[in-house]
């Protein structure tokens, strides 16, 4: 089945630094989403991208839907301790219109104050 | 608005036993999803309901897993009999449609 390759798997950064993570696939996706998951909780939607080339911001977060529709990246600027958590990319496969999402393996972010 | 409610939060069972999880979606959300999240991985869709009908259950291990959504509201996911590899967090999510998923906090299942 379709898979999303997310990198890096983990990041250890200093507070105030910028962070970048990305997601790639060998298949086309119609929609890209970025989620954050805190320990013991379900994922929470951060940003949704609906068309190729789209660049969207949500506060200190910026995400882009790749032109080829096979990749996306998420940037976090000026990281703060509450940014700690696991970030997942997710995509809607091109063959599926029903709401199913494919998730990446996650990027675990640690922020040192 | 109230979020997606799931229970129990934690469950420990022995292999070959049965277990059931319950989900109460956000009021008015027609679409309900069950995802399985194994430690260190992203969630994987098990089954999707639209009202009380199944839209996608292609990745549900139907020999041991079953799910129902009576009256198009609450849903239960059952595993019978459980295997060690079923140890995971089971996440329920609901949406009106589109990508406005809201996930519950999940049920953490440990099979020993």
């Amino acid at each position: 089945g379709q898979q999303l390759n997310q990198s890096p798997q983990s990041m250890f950064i200093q507070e105030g630094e910028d962070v970048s993570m990305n997601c790639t696939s060998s298949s086309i996706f119609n929609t890209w989403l970025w989620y954050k998951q805190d320990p013991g909780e379900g994922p929470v939607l951060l940003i949704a991208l609906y068309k190729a080339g789209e660049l969207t911001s949500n506060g200190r977060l910026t995400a882009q839907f790749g032109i080829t529709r096979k990749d996306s990246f998420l940037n976090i600027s000026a990281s703060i301790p509450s940014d700690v958590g696991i970030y997942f990319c997710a995509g809607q496969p091109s063959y599926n219109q029903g709401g199913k999402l494919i998730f990446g393996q996650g990027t675990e972010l640690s922020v040192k104050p | 608005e109230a979020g997606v409610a799931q229970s129990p939060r934690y469950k420990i069972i022995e292999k070959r036993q049965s277990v059931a999880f319950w989900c109460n979606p956000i009021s008015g959300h027609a679409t309900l999803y069950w995802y399985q999240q194994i430690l260190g991985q992203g969630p994987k869709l098990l089954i999707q309901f639209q009202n009380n009908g199944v839209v996608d259950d292609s990745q549900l291990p139907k020999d041991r897993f079953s799910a129902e959504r009576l009256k198009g509201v609450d849903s239960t996911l059952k595993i019978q009999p459980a295997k060690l590899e079923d140890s995971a967090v089971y996440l329920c999510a609901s949406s009106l449609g589109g990508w406005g998923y809201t996930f519950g906090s999940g049920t953490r299942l440990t099979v020993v």
Side-chain angles (χ1 to χ4, degrees):
Chain A
Q2 286 183 291
Q3 287 187 319
L4 295 182
N5 299 309
Q6 189 171 346
S7 64
Q9 278 191 301
S10 60
M11 303 181 75
F12 297 86
I13 62 170
Q14 198 78 28
E15 182 177 359
E17 289 183 349
D18 296 344
V19 171
S20 184
M21 58 192 79
N22 68 80
C23 215
T24 60
S25 171
S26 58
S27 306
I28 289 172
F29 282 79
N30 288 341
T31 303
W32 285 92
L33 304 118
W34 286 92
Y35 286 85
K36 180 178 182 240
Q37 187 173 30
D38 292 326
E41 299 296 330
V44 174
L45 181 64
L46 299 174
I47 290 181
L49 303 156
Y50 299 105
K51 56 183 181 180
E54 181 179 354
L55 183 71
T56 296
S57 293
N58 178 7
R60 294 179 295 106
L61 278 59
T62 302
Q64 185 159 30
F65 191 145
I67 292 290
T68 64
R69 295 167 63 192
K70 294 182 179 181
D71 64 329
S72 178
F73 71 75
L74 175 70
N75 288 340
I76 305 173
S77 63
S79 59
I80 58 179
S82 61
D83 290 335
V84 166
I86 303 178
Y87 292 79
F88 290 98
C89 61
Q92 177 209 9
S94 58
Y95 61 82
N96 182 280
Q97 301 298 318
K100 173 182 181 177
L101 292 177
I102 307 293
F103 281 80
Q105 309 98 310
T107 295
E108 185 169 9
L109 179 64
S110 300
V111 180
K112 184 177 179 181
Chain B
E1 67 183 358
V4 175
Q6 289 189 248
S7 68
R9 284 281 276 157
Y10 306 93
K11 191 75 176 177
I12 301 174
I13 62 172
E14 296 183 349
K15 58 184 179 184
R16 290 186 290 273
Q17 285 188 324
S18 302
V19 65
F21 313 126
W22 174 81
C23 173
N24 179 234
I26 291 174
S27 178
H29 280 196
T31 311
L32 185 147
Y33 309 83
W34 283 101
Y35 279 81
Q36 180 193 57
Q37 186 176 22
I38 293 172
L39 185 64
Q41 298 182 18
K44 182 185 83 172
L45 180 69
L46 291 175
I47 189 167
Q48 176 186 347
F49 291 95
Q50 181 72 21
N51 296 309
N52 60 348
V54 175
V55 174
D56 186 343
D57 63 356
S58 57
Q59 296 189 93
L60 186 74
K62 298 180 186 65
D63 58 333
R64 297 182 302 106
F65 286 64
S66 65
E68 61 181 6
R69 191 182 184 196
L70 297 176
K71 300 180 182 178
V73 182
D74 292 5
S75 178
T76 55
L77 176 69
K78 297 178 182 177
I79 307 175
Q80 179 180 7
K83 293 185 175 181
L84 295 176
E85 59 260 35
D86 298 332
S87 294
V89 174
Y90 291 84
L91 294 163
C92 179
S94 70
S95 73
L96 279 170
W99 312 113
Y101 273 41
T102 299
F103 281 91
S105 299
T107 296
R108 181 176 296 278
L109 173 68
T110 302
V111 182
V112 298

